[in-house]
Amino acid sequence: MTDPLLDYHNDLPVELSPPDITEYREGNSGVEYVQTMDSGTPGPHVLISAVVHGNELCGAIAADWLLQQAVEPVAGRLSVGFMNVEAYLSYDSNHPNRSRWVDEDFNRLWGPGVLADPKRRITSELRRARAVQPFLATVDLLLDIHSMQQPCVPLMMAGMVAKGRDLAAQVGIPSAVITDSGHTEGMRMRDYAAFRDPDSTRNALLIECGQHWERSAADVAKATMVRFLRASKIVENDFGHDWLKTMPAAPAQAFYKVGEIVTVESDAFIFDRPWKGFEHLAKDTLIARDGSRLITAPFDTTVLIMPSKRLHPGKTAVRLAHPISQ
Ligand SMILES: [Zn+2]
């Protein structure tokens, strides 16, 4: 049964189709739907992660494309994983929001102690996260591919420590890089353990490629993945050249930091305008009302990061960022 939180109307065009990934079920890594290719020479273990959210098709398209290339890493190890497979396999283009998760958000389970908590409700996502976790613990560099509810410029979510920004700069796209700490509701996979430890060389990025079902999201996913693999130096320098040359030149990167997470508190949360994301607002501009609470822009330049349509108590409504220098 669909989680009622996900049963809301979609009024955006659905231009992408989900690739059939069932041929990857058995895998070769010991974890279903996780493929791994070891070069046999020293280098980082790189994981490309798709469908942490089952309704975000661009990651599946990029990961499937990469696997179809049968790319052999020249150093280290390359892995490709489909995460919330049960949700993804339930995708229905007539109700494309419903397949985001089965029981709960897979991307809120990665805080200290959560997966090992014996009192935690056993959900489809908890089972899958527990199956994936030992493999994830061997990953040095993670690119987690996502998309957004609203049409918005692509955003690189670089996590809470400076090393994420540095890695985003090496990748070079997209133009907007956001330093952030995620959600009050629970920690994301990209922030798991060493990925958020400033003293560890292990590192992670989360790319938001555009609106979930717009064609360009798949192109952004592929381009970012190619450049991420090049930056990790486990593929040839010109890997993906033929495909990348079809993409427009990337503008210079700009960096932002989330300074405030707005979490829904009441049953009467309403945005003042139909924000799409990445609007730049002057300080004190009214953003939303949460019951009697007024939410206004706290920074001289306040940048809206991914305003949500799932406005239920405990969920993130929007994140508020401001420009920073790298
Ligand atoms: Zn997502």
Side-chain angles (χ1 to χ4, degrees):
M1 214 189 93
T2 306
D3 184 334
L5 289 189
L6 299 179
D7 211 5
Y8 55 94
H9 178 65
N10 171 51
D11 51 12
L12 293 164
V14 179
E15 299 172 346
L16 298 177
S17 301
D20 179 7
I21 63 166
T22 52
E23 68 174 294
Y24 306 125
R25 175 173 179 167
E26 196 171 334
N28 63 351
S29 65
V31 183
E32 285 191 353
Y33 289 100
V34 179
Q35 316 290 316
T36 191
M37 286 75 72
D38 197 329
S39 69
T41 59
H45 180 194
V46 178
L47 173 64
I48 303 297
S49 156
V51 295
V52 154
H53 293 126
N55 61 333
E56 299 181 357
L57 307 183
C58 62
I61 291 167
D64 178 54
W65 175 83
L66 183 65
L67 289 165
Q68 297 296 330
Q69 310 291 304
V71 53
E72 305 257 353
V74 297
R77 183 176 169 196
L78 169 61
S79 297
V80 180
F82 301 89
M83 294 297 155
N84 197 342
V85 175
E86 188 174 345
Y88 175 77
L89 293 179
S90 75
Y91 178 81
D92 173 355
S93 61
N94 294 314
H95 303 282
N97 290 311
R98 289 181 182 171
S99 60
R100 187 170 181 79
W101 59 71
V102 177
D103 298 313
E104 62 177 323
D105 192 332
F106 180 90
N107 216 21
R108 303 289 181 270
L109 300 175
W110 299 92
V114 173
L115 294 180
D117 181 356
K119 291 197 283 292
R120 189 154 182 115
R121 182 169 71 106
I122 303 294
T123 61
S124 170
E125 281 75 17
L126 187 73
R127 276 196 302 273
R128 179 61 176 160
R130 283 177 171 172
V132 165
Q133 182 276 329
F135 187 86
L136 189 70
T138 69
V139 170
D140 298 303
L141 297 172
L142 167 71
L143 177 65
D144 193 18
I145 303 175
H146 289 250
S147 53
M148 298 179 270
Q149 296 180 49
Q150 309 270 12
C152 175
V153 296
L155 305 174
M156 186 66 94
M157 308 308 288
M160 53 188 93
V161 284
K163 67 181 182 180
R165 274 201 302 278
D166 295 341
L167 182 55
Q170 286 167 37
V171 174
I173 56 170
S175 59
V177 179
I178 320 291
T179 285
D180 77 315
S181 58
H183 305 269
T184 310
E185 188 191 358
M187 199 169 277
R188 301 168 298 189
M189 190 175 76
R190 63 127 295 122
D191 301 314
Y192 177 64
F195 295 142
R196 68 172 187 280
D197 176 358
D199 297 324
S200 168
T201 57
R202 296 175 61 205
N203 211 341
L205 291 173
L206 187 163
I207 175 73
E208 300 280 4
C209 296
Q211 204 280 329
H212 296 321
W213 309 300
E214 68 184 335
R215 193 166 288 115
S216 63
D219 294 340
V220 171
K222 281 161 70 177
T224 308
M225 180 179 70
V226 164
R227 294 187 60 147
F228 186 89
L229 291 174
R230 288 183 182 186
S232 73
K233 301 197 167 32
I234 66 161
V235 295
E236 303 281 5
N237 284 335
D238 62 350
F239 169 69
H241 173 77
D242 287 347
W243 188 82
L244 216 50
K245 72 183 180 193
T246 66
M247 292 291 288
Q253 286 179 310
F255 295 78
Y256 304 84
K257 182 171 188 181
V258 171
E260 198 174 313
I261 303 167
V262 179
T263 303
V264 179
E265 291 177 2
S266 80
D267 288 315
F269 188 105
I270 183 161
F271 282 115
D272 191 56
R273 271 175 261 173
W275 310 114
K276 301 240 180 287
F278 213 61
E279 289 89 350
H280 288 48
L281 306 181
K283 191 172 163 89
D284 298 330
T285 303
L286 181 62
I287 298 169
R289 299 163 200 271
D290 190 6
S292 59
R293 179 170 72 121
L294 291 184
I295 293 144
T296 57
F299 312 117
D300 288 339
T301 300
T302 298
V303 182
L304 302 188
I305 306 295
M306 284 184 282
S308 178
K309 294 178 180 176
R310 293 182 300 276
L311 298 171
H312 303 275
K315 293 281 176 195
T316 302
V318 63
R319 285 167 274 172
L320 307 178
H322 55 85
I324 56 170
S325 58
Q326 189 204 340

